[in-house]
């Protein structure tokens, strides 16, 4: 596959256009990372077919899980934008405003079909339809459509249309080609409505491999690994090349630092995934057993739990020589930044155990696949209290 850099020769063929996107406001950080991969693959396909789209990165902000209210955060705070740029050309929203102004030509609001699936069959299709709920998010004031637009109050759109769609990245490609390929600044809202073309295929992984963390995240994470666990890339065998395009690891290349990482998802998960996650005591029991089995007495805990639960967990660890360490960050760091450092540290552990169906854990799985860990050290989850041997996460292993 040589889908890279083809865009260089196409810039002359077609006038440059912008594809901006957004996601359902209630979605968390790591589901948004998944949606990025779907949209990046929309742009990849459009470019391969001669449409000169640049992907505009939606600023991070006002996330439900973030306790510090932050908005207009750039992707470069968390990710290496130059690296993303090697998959499809991307730009920060602020740079888009500088380059193309405060207007968007059309917001295409993705929605499902009001009538649901016909005959219970999933068929890929799209149609412009009356809006079902977009009116809650966009309002026409004078001749300008106003909306959230990532908290940029000066931004507005000339038009808003609703597209009922059932399908995947390529379905949206078809819709754009058919109806909107003349649109200069196109924004696709509710992009999570489309699925991946093929979950876990080479295009999925290329987009994912391009999503490297920012230098600041990596430096902070590496410093912490070194200080807390004496872990470093040479000893852990986790050295990777600067460019993801020529980084290819085999399972078993990486051995990881001398610690066990557990991602313990709490807060809203305690309610929404009650049946599938353990109690604090149950988690401590499973962690203790794994630590004993693997002869690891250093635990790195990545969690959104409050300190009461963390102290409780620590008190249940047995034998009591298991040390519990967390990355606390400090007041100057954002919630988003701390959470990505947590993921980086977990990605380098000798063994990882995550939480059932948490996209936060899924992104750690992927990082470990990229680094070349054996799958059995990665695709593990905590079981609910009443099940000793629950079903483990599907092994979505890397493909090159
Ligand atoms: C119920 C669903 O849960 C889904 O969450 P799920 O997949 O775990 O994962 P995320 O989409 O990332 O949302 C969870 C957020 O909670 C914080 N968080 C969770 N675990 C940790 C951790 O170990 N360390 C740190 N520092 N922060 C953590 C962090 O802000 C993270 O982005 C949501 O995406 C969906 O929108 C929905 O709410």
């Amino acid at each position: 596959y040589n889908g890279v850099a083809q865009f260089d020769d196409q810039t002359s063929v077609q006038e440059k256009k912008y594809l901006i996107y957004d996601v359902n406001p209630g979605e968390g950080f790591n589901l948004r990372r998944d949606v990025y991969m779907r949209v990046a693959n929309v742009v990849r396909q459009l470019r391969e077919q001669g449409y000169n789209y640049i992907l505009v990165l939606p600023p991070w902000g006002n996330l439900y899980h973030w306790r510090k209210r932050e908005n207009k955060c750039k992707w470069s705070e968390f990710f290496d934008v130059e690296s993303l740029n090697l998959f499809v050309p991307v730009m920060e929203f602020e740079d888009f405003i500088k380059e193309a102004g405060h207007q968007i030509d059309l917001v295409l609001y993705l929605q499902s079909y009001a009538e649901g699936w016909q005959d219970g069959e999933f068929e890929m299709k799209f149609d412009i339809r009356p809006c079902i709920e977009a009116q809650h998010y966009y309002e026409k004031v004078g001749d300008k459509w106003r909306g959230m637009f990532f908290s940029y109050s000066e931004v507005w759109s000339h038009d808003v249309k609703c597209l009922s769609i059932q399908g995947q990245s390529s379905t949206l490609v078809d819709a754009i080609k058919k109806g909107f390929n003349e649109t200069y600044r196109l924004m696709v809202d509710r992009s999570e409505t489309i699925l991946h073309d093929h979950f876990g295929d080479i295009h999925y992984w290329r987009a994912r491999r391009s999503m490297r963390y920012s230098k600041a995240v990596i430096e902070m994470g590496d410093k912490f690994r070194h200080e807390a666990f004496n872990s470093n890339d040479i000893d852990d065998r986790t050295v990777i090349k600067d460019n993801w395009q020529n980084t290819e690891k085999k399972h078993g290349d990486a051995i990881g630092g001398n610690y066990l990482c557990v991602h313990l998802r709490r807060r809203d998960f305690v309610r929404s995934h009650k049946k599938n996650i353990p109690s604090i005591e149950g988690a401590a029991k499973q962690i203790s057993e794994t630590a004993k089995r693997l002869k690891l007495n250093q635990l790195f805990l990545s969690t959104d739990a409050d300190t009461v639960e963390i102290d409780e967990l620590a008190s249940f660890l047995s034998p009591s020589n298991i040390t519990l360490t967390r990355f606390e960050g400090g007041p100057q760091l954002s919630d988003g930044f701390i959470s990505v450092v947590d993921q980086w540290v977990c990605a380098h552990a000798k063994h990882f155990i995550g939480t059932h169906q948490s996209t936060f854990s899924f992104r750690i799985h992927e990082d470990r696949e990229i680094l070349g860990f054996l799958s059995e050290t990665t695709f593990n989850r905590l079981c609910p209290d009443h099940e000793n041997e629950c079903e483990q996460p599907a092994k979505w292993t890397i493909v090159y």
Side-chain angles (χ1 to χ4, degrees):
Y1 174 76
N2 69 345
V4 218
Q6 288 181 4
F7 45 81
D8 290 335
D9 15 328
Q10 279 165 5
T11 37
S12 56
V13 179
Q14 260 228 350
E15 188 197 352
K16 177 155 125 185
K17 297 189 182 72
Y18 302 94
L19 188 84
I20 308 136
Y21 76 97
D22 201 0
V23 178
N24 178 19
E27 300 297 348
F29 191 86
N30 288 286
L31 184 87
R32 287 166 185 268
R33 291 176 64 185
D34 184 273
V35 176
Y36 169 82
M37 296 187 253
R38 303 178 216 174
V39 180
N41 272 303
V42 170
V43 172
R44 171 186 62 82
Q45 292 175 70
L46 284 168
R47 298 189 65 87
E48 284 170 357
Q49 296 172 43
Y51 299 92
N52 183 16
Y53 276 97
I54 311 293
L55 179 53
V56 180
L57 301 167
W60 299 96
N62 298 324
L63 293 191
Y64 164 75
H65 301 94
W66 288 1
R67 273 163 279 168
K68 293 183 201 151
R69 305 315 297 171
E70 274 168 302
N71 59 35
K72 300 184 181 171
C73 305
K74 289 185 171 187
W75 277 62
S76 58
E77 183 179 346
F78 312 115
F79 302 106
D80 178 345
V81 173
E82 282 308 305
S83 177
L84 294 173
N85 211 34
L86 295 172
F87 182 64
V88 289
V90 296
M91 72 187 336
E92 302 273 10
F93 192 70
E94 285 203 358
D95 296 326
F96 160 77
I97 290 177
K98 277 186 208 137
E99 203 171 285
H102 290 97
Q103 304 106 302
I104 288 170
D105 297 297
L106 171 66
V107 172
L108 201 54
Y109 189 95
L110 306 188
Q111 59 184 22
S112 50
Y113 280 82
E115 67 272 27
W117 296 1
Q118 295 287 286
D119 312 318
E121 296 247 344
F122 185 82
E123 175 201 354
M124 294 206 224
K125 57 179 181 176
F126 55 85
D127 294 281
I128 288 289
R129 285 288 181 88
C131 294
I132 302 171
E133 55 168 32
Q135 58 275 17
H136 302 312
Y137 300 96
Y138 294 94
E139 187 191 8
K140 198 165 186 183
V141 183
D143 55 357
K144 293 175 177 165
W145 284 90
R146 299 288 179 180
M148 286 294 297
F149 298 121
F150 319 107
S151 307
Y152 284 82
S153 54
E154 323 86 309
V155 173
W156 57 280
S157 178
H158 285 280
D159 200 3
V160 173
K161 285 192 164 77
C162 290
L163 184 77
S164 287
I165 186 165
Q166 271 179 193
Q168 55 199 40
S169 297
S170 63
T171 320
L172 181 57
V173 170
D174 291 342
I176 292 173
K177 274 165 53 187
K178 191 165 170 208
F180 315 100
N181 69 59
E182 297 294 319
T183 308
Y184 177 48
R185 294 160 296 200
L186 174 65
M187 170 157 163
V188 178
D189 198 354
R190 298 301 300 265
S191 296
E192 78 286 355
T193 311
I194 52 157
L195 309 171
H196 289 282
D197 285 322
H198 300 282
F199 189 88
D201 73 353
I202 187 164
H203 303 296
Y204 176 97
W205 278 105
R206 287 178 62 81
R208 182 61 182 83
R209 285 160 61 213
S210 75
M211 199 187 271
R212 288 210 170 166
Y213 299 110
S214 67
K215 269 205 184 64
V217 167
I218 292 176
E219 276 172 18
M220 181 89 52
D222 286 351
K223 184 165 173 277
F224 177 83
R225 285 165 58 207
H226 172 72
E227 289 171 359
F229 305 118
N230 199 17
S231 145
N232 64 70
D233 287 337
I234 309 270
D235 294 342
D236 300 357
R237 296 209 234 135
T238 48
V239 177
I240 46 171
K241 295 191 175 129
D242 286 343
N243 185 336
W244 59 270
Q245 291 167 304
N246 48 36
T247 301
E248 189 169 334
K249 295 288 202 133
K250 287 196 240 4
H251 289 103
D253 281 351
I255 54 172
N258 209 14
Y259 58 98
L260 165 68
C261 168
V262 173
H263 172 231
L264 181 72
R265 180 78 161 84
R266 299 296 293 174
R267 296 195 185 258
D268 50 316
F269 252 52
V270 179
R271 237 178 313 115
S272 59
H273 290 278
K274 205 171 171 196
K275 288 208 185 77
N276 294 305
I277 64 169
S279 65
I280 292 292
E281 187 175 358
K285 196 163 157 247
Q286 292 171 58
I287 294 166
S288 302
E289 278 163 12
T290 307
K292 218 183 291 171
R293 176 169 61 83
L294 300 173
K295 299 193 172 60
L296 289 171
N297 59 9
Q298 306 193 91
L299 166 66
F300 175 70
L301 185 68
S302 171
T303 188
D304 57 344
D306 57 35
T307 46
V308 175
E309 287 186 329
I310 295 167
D311 291 346
E312 199 189 340
L313 180 94
S315 75
F316 284 125
L317 291 174
S318 147
S320 52
N321 69 348
I322 301 176
T323 56
L324 186 159
T325 309
R326 287 174 55 235
F327 175 71
E328 309 235 6
Q332 77 286 6
L333 300 180
S334 67
D335 289 348
F337 190 93
I338 294 171
S339 73
V340 187
V341 174
D342 266 349
Q343 288 178 309
W344 182 249
V345 178
C346 287
H348 290 80
K350 188 147 287 168
H351 194 86
F352 173 70
I353 309 176
T355 294
H356 180 66
Q357 278 188 358
S358 167
T359 56
F360 190 106
S361 295
F362 292 163
R363 302 288 87 83
I364 296 170
H365 294 167
E366 291 159 357
D367 285 328
R368 295 177 63 86
E369 280 294 305
I370 290 168
L371 290 171
F373 281 91
L374 286 174
S375 302
E376 51 270 36
T377 71
T378 293
F379 297 96
N380 306 296
R381 64 171 266 222
L382 294 165
C383 293
D385 288 355
H386 51 275
E387 277 179 62
N388 285 337
E389 297 197 353
C390 62
E391 194 185 344
Q392 293 301 304
K395 292 193 167 103
W396 291 104
T397 51
I398 195 163
V399 287
Y400 290 99

